[in-house]
Amino acid sequence: MDKILIHGGHPLTGSIKVSGSKNSSLPILAATLLTREPCAVQGVPDLSDTNYMVQILTYLGAQVERASGTVSVTAEKVQSVAPYDVVRKMRASVCVLGPLLGRCKEASVALPGGCVIGDRPIDLHLKGFEALGAAVRVEGGDIKIFAPKLKGAVINMEGKFGPTVLGTDNLMMAAVLADGVTVIEGAALEPEVVDLATFLMKMGAKIEGAGTRRIIIEGVAALHGAEHRVIADRIEAGTFLVAGAIAGNGITVKQVNPEHVRAVTDTLARCGYAIDIEDRAISILPNGDATALELATEPYPGFPTDMQAQMCALLSTTKGVSSITENIFPQRYMHVAELKRMGAKVHLEAATAMIEGVDCLLGAPVMASDLRASAALVLAGLKADGVTEVSRVYHIDRGYEHLDEKLSELGAQIERVKAE
Ligand code: EPU
């Protein structure tokens, strides 16, 4: 297994370009199953998660080619069964359920296993499919869905932790080929949902209201092929902005939609960092005297749970006492024990992390546990005295395209030690 070694204390300067969004690419690639015609998805980042999705599409019968960020898919014939071995590596593989149901009127997909960031139920996805007229059962670890006919319905997708992103995606993808009109109430507002709706509309779907709480879908008989470039990865952008805060001497993050990262830039501005926002670029300047703050994660447009770990790393070295409350995945704190190994003072009370800023962190061997937790450890390593050795970096490779190379371009002393 590869490791990443970071020699801390080398200030970052310069600029990097953000890659295409992982969380847009995954459902959009799944949506290509909805048509027999060729589709081309551009800007797909080279990550293990997007590779898993390519493998799943191929298993389901699609012809898939991948060249310089463009994934071309022709799903002339599709089979509707995805066993555990094919889907187990990635929880987001559940987003083939909606398109398979839409296209084949049946699907059998293995239930994703446990997830280190906490309980990841899919009850709302299944409730949505049932409302469209599907029969759903779980058998032998597989979700089996069957609907001789899908019929539009009014469905509220909001759960106790708020709207569901992939649940909204799944339902939209099933409803585009249903008879009649589907209204999704309590829909997720995330830019990735809007990006999927944009792609579906390019394929001929009739969708209104994506990006609002109510999405209205008028079913059509068939979809056609389309080309689409996915939006920039707002979480990657946010992660680099926090890198700029924790260890920067002024860096610029390019190829980003500033609106999509507003919660992060507002938060960093609240800490006292100077943020300069242009059309497609954001610069962050260092702050000798950053201030502690209270923060809570929320569904978009609130502060993203996918940026919580990285903020935890930053606030660990910010003078004063900060708090972060995790409202989406209350157990998503695997990074805390590792940050403590580097000298961070963090105390967990239920879903809230109380963080007492320390003057310096000390490099240590630490273990990546999930994607965003791993990024937080790398960010902490940029600031720490000495060498931080992050193991299990395959977690990082799931969702950050060339993170070590991009940080190196900014001047970080970071190297990847390849496994024997
Ligand atoms: N939830 C339910 N029932 C459901 C579905 C979700 O109770 O049927 C709850 C979840 O337990 C959670 C909340 O609803 O408390 C929101 O979860 P959501 O369904 O929105 O998560 P997701 O769609 O499975 C996507 C991202 C995650 C990101 C979350 C929240 C992708 C592929 N994944 O997951 O990204 O954390 O939305 O924004 O889009 C990551 O990239 O590192 C990552 C984990």
Side-chain angles (χ1 to χ4, degrees):
M1 274 188 251
D2 293 2
K3 286 179 182 174
I4 285 183
L5 299 186
I6 307 136
H7 300 256
H10 295 271
L12 310 182
T13 52
S15 63
I16 57 103
K17 285 183 185 157
V18 171
S19 300
S21 161
K22 164 182 84 83
N23 289 348
S24 265
S25 298
L26 297 174
I28 286 176
L29 287 173
T32 62
L33 293 171
L34 283 161
T35 178
R36 311 167 64 90
E37 295 184 15
C39 292
V41 187
Q42 295 148 0
V44 176
D46 185 13
L47 303 169
S48 41
D49 271 12
T50 55
N51 284 330
Y52 294 143
M53 185 52 84
V54 164
Q55 285 166 20
I56 294 168
L57 298 182
T58 308
Y59 181 88
L60 292 171
Q63 302 290 319
V64 188
E65 277 170 31
R66 186 169 194 165
S68 16
T70 298
V71 180
S72 307
V73 185
T74 307
E76 212 174 338
K77 283 196 185 129
V78 166
Q79 57 108 353
S80 60
V81 180
Y84 187 57
D85 256 5
V86 177
V87 299
R88 73 187 157 84
K89 290 187 193 141
M90 183 176 67
R91 196 197 161 273
S93 47
V94 291
C95 66
V96 297
L97 274 172
L100 286 179
L101 184 61
R103 169 100 180 250
C104 310
K105 305 293 177 270
E106 63 178 10
S108 170
V109 175
L111 257 177
C115 178
V116 76
I117 71 176
D119 196 19
R120 307 282 301 267
I122 57 162
D123 56 308
L124 297 168
H125 304 224
L126 302 183
K127 183 182 102 171
F129 296 142
E130 280 173 340
L132 292 180
V136 177
R137 63 181 206 279
V138 177
E139 206 178 88
D142 298 332
I143 309 156
K144 295 187 185 277
I145 311 182
F146 175 69
K149 207 169 162 174
L150 290 173
K151 200 165 168 349
V154 179
I155 305 157
N156 192 324
M157 289 296 281
E158 187 122 10
K160 79 172 172 174
F161 292 106
T164 157
V165 176
L166 290 179
T168 305
D169 288 347
N170 249 336
L171 203 60
M172 229 172 14
M173 291 189 279
V176 286
L177 292 178
D179 282 350
V181 175
T182 299
V183 180
I184 307 178
E185 304 277 9
L189 305 179
E190 270 68 2
E192 295 78 14
V193 173
V194 179
D195 205 23
L196 171 65
T198 306
F199 178 60
L200 291 169
M201 288 189 283
K202 287 182 181 173
M203 296 173 82
K206 292 190 178 163
I207 302 175
E208 273 175 29
T212 73
R213 287 267 171 254
R214 175 185 289 153
I215 302 180
I216 303 169
I217 303 146
E218 191 185 329
V220 296
L223 296 182
H224 52 73
E227 278 186 21
H228 183 70
R229 176 168 290 278
V230 300
I231 57 171
D233 197 307
R234 65 191 168 98
I235 304 300
E236 187 198 359
T239 302
F240 276 100
L241 288 171
V242 174
I246 205 166
N249 232 347
I251 68 159
T252 301
V253 175
K254 290 183 172 168
Q255 251 170 228
V256 54
N257 181 337
E259 198 47 46
H260 292 170
V261 284
R262 187 164 299 281
V264 176
T265 49
D266 282 355
T267 302
L268 292 172
R270 266 210 291 145
C271 280
Y273 293 93
I275 310 276
D276 182 34
I277 299 179
E278 286 170 57
D279 189 24
R280 300 280 301 163
I282 305 175
S283 303
I284 176 161
L285 291 166
N287 177 349
D289 209 11
T291 47
L293 47 70
E294 277 178 29
L295 186 62
T297 64
E298 282 159 18
Y300 190 83
F303 191 88
T305 171
D306 291 344
M307 286 298 303
Q308 179 260 109
Q310 301 87 316
M311 274 310 283
C312 213
L314 173 64
L315 295 175
S316 292
T317 61
T318 302
K319 210 189 280 171
V321 178
S322 297
S323 75
I324 304 184
T325 300
E326 174 54 71
N327 286 319
I328 313 294
F329 298 112
Q331 298 154 36
R332 194 177 196 175
Y333 280 118
M334 296 292 284
H335 44 285
V336 165
E338 301 300 305
L339 288 173
K340 281 184 173 175
R341 303 192 69 248
M342 300 175 72
K345 289 193 177 161
V346 187
H347 170 67
L348 286 177
E349 284 170 21
T352 298
M354 301 300 299
I355 306 163
E356 189 187 332
V358 293
D359 288 340
C360 75
L361 294 172
L362 295 175
V366 287
M367 207 177 280
S369 56
D370 79 79
L371 173 56
R372 309 304 172 188
S374 329
L377 299 178
V378 172
L379 299 188
L382 296 173
K383 174 82 166 183
D385 282 351
V387 180
T388 301
E389 183 182 306
V390 183
S391 53
R392 299 197 176 168
V393 299
Y394 56 85
H395 288 293
I396 295 181
D397 298 333
R398 294 188 64 159
Y400 287 97
E401 193 178 47
H402 312 141
L403 181 70
D404 41 333
E405 288 164 33
K406 287 184 181 180
L407 283 170
S408 183
E409 271 172 47
L410 292 173
Q413 298 290 301
I414 182 167
E415 57 180 313
R416 182 180 283 253
V417 182
K418 287 271 174 206
E420 297 293 306

